[in-house]
Structures are given as C-alpha cells and as structure tokens.
Amino acid sequence: MKITRISLLLTLPSLFLPLQAQTVDWNPSHDEPAPKESSLSAIENALPDQPIVEPTTKRRLLVYSATSGFRHGCIPVGKVALERLGESTGAYEAVVSDDLKNFEPEALQTFDTVLMFNTTGDVFMPNAKSHRKKFSDEQWKQLQEQNDRLVENLVSYVEQGGGLAGIHAATDSCKGNHRYTETIGGVFDGHPWNARSNVTIVVEDPEHAVIKPVFEGMEQFQIQDEIYQFAEGTATRDKLRILLNLDPEQSDKPKGKPKREKGDLPVSWVQSVGKGRVFYSSLGHNDEVYWNPLVLKHYLAGLQFALGDLKADTTPSAEIDLPNLPKK
C-alpha cells in the first residue's frame, strides 16, 4: 500500500502536533536504597499498637515525599514507619505515593489527610538546577503552571475540610506560594541545631488533646535531631497553637546565632484553616527518630487530629489564659 503524506500524518499525529499542544508527562521519581533490616526491626519494636482514639470511620492518609530541593536520607525509613504506624494501630490506611494525579480535586477527596513528608522546594515539578535543560521553554512553563495549580488544589482541599500534616521539611516547601506557607504555618529559615545536636524539647501545652495522651506528666524530653528556626512573621503564637518548643539553654550550642528570641522556637503546632485541620512537627531529620516510640506516638496523635478523629482546640496560643511556657 502506498503511504501518502496524509496517511502518515493520520498514523503518527503526535510527531506533527505543534509543541504547545503537547502535554508534559512527568511524575516525581527518586531512586534510593531500601531501609536496612536493622532499621525495619527497630521500627517494629517502637510502634504503638493502639490508636490515640478509635477512628470513627476508615481513614485514608496520603503520604507524599517528592522533593525538588534537598532530599533527606531518612525518607525511605520514614515512609515505612508512617505506613506501619497506621497498620499497627488501625488509625488509618496509608497510601504512600508521589503520583501527581492524587492532587487533582476529585482524587484529593478520597483522602482524609495529606501528609507532606520531608518535601522540599516546588514539590510538584522537577528540580530546576538538574532538570531544566531536559524540557523546552514551553514544557517548563507547563510544569510551572501545573505546580501552581496543584498547590492551590491542596490548599483549597484543606480550606474545604480536608486535613494537612507536615513533618520536618514540609515547611521548606512551596515557599513562593503564600497560601501554602500560611496553611502549613511556618517557613524554614535554617537549622542552627544540626542533625547531631542534643536538644531539650519543652512540652509547652501539656493539657492539649494532641499532647496529653503522649507526654502526660512530662515537662520536657531530650532527643538528637535537627531543629528548625522559622522566618520572621511565621510560626507565631498569634496564629498557631504551639504544642512543643525548643529550650536553647538546655540544648547543645547552636551553629551560629539563632534568628529568633529565646522561647520563640516552636517545634510542633496545630491550627485550623477554613474548615480543615493542620498538624506540623519539625522533628524528623534523623533515621533514628522513626523508631523513637515517643515521637511515633506524637506523630500518631497529630495525624489523628488532622484525620478528624482526635478533637482538639486550635485557639492560637497568644489568646489562651494559661501560661504558654512551663515555669522553670
């Protein structure tokens, strides 16, 4: 059969479409080693076996860990721990996926909470430094537009009643989108206490529903982890219910001078955004954190709040009558 130019065009249309009509088929992908058996065993030994409260219905948690900035080495271990935390307690079913389709409005509605797990940078597009040359100008524009749209989808989902949780680098994500940073509650601005720092964490709000089941009777605890500071005007007590904070006087000396005042170094908080619920904890840089029984229970309480089962007050800390900081 003679192949004419017309039949060839009909047979291979994608080759002749103008560039702007083509869509960019891209999803985050990260090649990293599986956790060691010793790490998996440590996680199993640390897991709680009961939820903080019994879930009122079957809960689904999306665990998203894509990065276009620094990628934490703890992510493989943490994903296993977070999935097993739900299975061990029955509090939720974790869907561990970086598929961007999950952030379309209809897909988001199938989840009770989205967990931004150590995400960094513009989390719905490639790293510009290492991937920009792989795409045309038009394709890169499409990726940027898609990134912005998916961030807006996520924020709208929370405002309409969904849950959002963030661990560690979730505050180092989407910094160009003010609605996201307002929703997660803070903007990463360095870590004067690095991964090997031994720090003291103050239980700031000991009677809070997210805190009391985990830290009852404790005024503080010690841990080795990387502790964030936050940009001026973010992570403040006039907007958030601060749950845990860092005591610099009882912690290792920081690398460089912290940028915020003593007593203003929040580590964990909750807030309401529209009809939705937000929980964040900056603990979570080191692998060992994910087999620390106290931290796993802390995550569980926060996640059950975000999922909608653990009812908790989100009145900003600055508005409550009780003192915010334990007396020493």
Side-chain angles (χ1 to χ4, degrees), residues 4 104 130 141 181 258 264:
T4 65
E104 298 297 348
S130 58
K141 180 182 177 182
T181 58
D264 192 23

Side-chain angles (χ1 to χ4, degrees), residues 290-302:
Y290 298 96
W291 55 79
N292 182 313
L294 192 65
V295 176
L296 288 179
K297 199 171 180 181
H298 169 53
Y299 290 160
L300 178 62

Side-chain angles (χ1 to χ4, degrees), residues 185-242:
V187 176
F188 166 78
D189 193 21
H191 44 77
W193 292 270
N194 61 32
R196 295 301 110 194
S197 295
N198 295 298
V199 297
T200 295
I201 307 298
V202 174
V203 180
E204 176 167 333
D205 201 341
E207 295 300 313
H208 192 270
V210 172
I211 290 298
K212 189 172 183 178
V214 183
F215 302 99
E216 186 167 15
M218 300 174 63
E219 292 187 359
Q220 60 189 34
F221 64 95
Q222 286 73 44
I223 192 170
Q224 187 178 77
D225 201 15
E226 180 183 271
I227 303 297
Y228 284 178
Q229 63 184 357
F230 298 98
E232 193 67 32
T234 73
T236 59
R237 288 177 175 79
D238 63 326
K239 295 180 180 179
L240 309 173
R241 186 62 169 264
I242 305 297

Side-chain angles (χ1 to χ4, degrees), residues 147-159:
N147 176 80
D148 295 345
R149 179 175 60 80
L150 296 183
V151 175
E152 289 297 318
N153 287 351
L154 176 59
V155 173
S156 295
Y157 157 81
V158 177
E159 292 175 336

